[in-house]
Amino acid sequence: MDAVAVRYAESLFDLAKEMNQVEAYSKDIDLIRTVFESDPSFVPFFSHVLIEDEAKCALLDKSFKGQVNDYVVNFLKLLVRKRRMRYVMEIIEAFKALTNEHFGILEGILYANYDISVQEVKEVEDALSKKENKTIRLRVVNDPSLIGGIKVEINNRVFDGSIKNKVALLKKELLRK
């Protein structure tokens, strides 16, 4: 992760702690991430040097004012003025890492080849939370390469309960004998 992104994320996190609003800022950052991920052209737009900073800031005000904390909106405007909007997604990731560490949360990805219910995701989160002694939050990703079952990735560790993995292990075992 870029040092610039980490520095800006730490600054925003320190402000959130100082204001005793880490959870609120985290929710605001989640909303901003959702908006920026919804259209890949947003980051290049806000990073473009030929578009006036005031126009970008006005658009940020129009988009987020009243929905997120004013300090978070001002933080985004600062990124625009300092020509750091190209780092916004990395800053968001670094900020989320800091808030997760603060609250003792691990984020991961649950891969499945089928539509998995919210209840099933919650059961997997609960089971892994007990195993890891931390709160686990999983984001579901559809993986058509899985034949069945699920695979969970948390902090570069993989818990693979997929049929694809079981078949591979069985094949390896049969070839070994």
Side-chain angles (χ1 to χ4, degrees):
M1 193 167 296
D2 197 284
V4 171
V6 171
R7 199 168 340 137
Y8 276 91
E10 287 173 346
S11 297
L12 183 61
F13 183 73
D14 289 344
L15 177 64
K17 278 191 352 190
E18 183 179 311
M19 303 296 284
N20 199 23
Q21 294 187 348
V22 176
E23 190 171 347
Y25 277 41
S26 180
K27 288 179 183 175
D28 291 346
I29 290 296
D30 285 340
L31 174 66
I32 291 166
R33 175 176 29 194
T34 302
V35 169
F36 276 93
E37 284 178 344
S38 70
D39 189 347
S41 66
F42 286 154
V43 174
F45 170 81
F46 284 104
S47 302
H48 203 288
V49 293
L50 296 179
I51 300 171
E52 294 288 325
D53 287 350
E54 291 310 313
K56 296 175 196 173
C57 291
L59 183 58
L60 288 171
D61 272 335
K62 188 175 179 182
S63 301
F64 295 114
K65 202 79 160 174
Q67 292 184 11
V68 299
N69 187 299
D70 288 342
Y71 286 119
V72 177
V73 175
N74 289 338
F75 178 77
L76 292 173
K77 291 180 187 177
L78 176 72
L79 294 178
V80 167
R81 290 189 186 101
K82 294 289 187 177
R83 306 270 188 246
R84 299 289 193 232
M85 278 303 279
R86 67 178 177 257
Y87 299 109
V88 72
M89 297 310 288
E90 291 180 54
I91 292 168
I92 288 170
E93 291 306 315
F95 181 82
K96 290 304 290 181
L98 290 168
T99 58
N100 287 342
E101 183 178 322
H102 177 77
F103 290 120
I105 296 171
L106 290 176
E107 284 190 346
I109 302 171
L110 185 147
Y111 298 96
N113 187 20
Y114 57 93
D115 291 333
I116 188 165
S117 72
V118 175
Q119 180 60 34
E120 291 171 320
V121 173
K122 178 84 173 107
E123 289 172 8
V124 173
E125 287 174 342
D126 290 344
L128 289 171
S129 293
K130 288 177 186 171
K131 181 176 177 55
E132 297 293 318
N133 287 330
K134 290 195 176 218
T135 304
I136 305 290
R137 290 200 184 135
L138 298 174
R139 182 170 47 100
V140 178
V141 173
N142 187 19
D143 185 354
S145 72
L146 296 178
I147 300 167
I150 62 169
K151 179 172 77 171
V152 177
E153 191 175 301
I154 302 171
N155 283 351
N156 298 323
R157 290 194 341 246
V158 178
F159 302 92
D160 197 341
S162 67
I163 293 174
K164 179 181 176 181
N165 183 53
K166 290 177 182 177
V167 168
L169 290 173
L170 182 61
K171 179 180 175 184
K172 184 178 175 182
E173 184 67 26
L174 290 172
L175 290 173
R176 194 169 58 100
K177 292 182 177 184

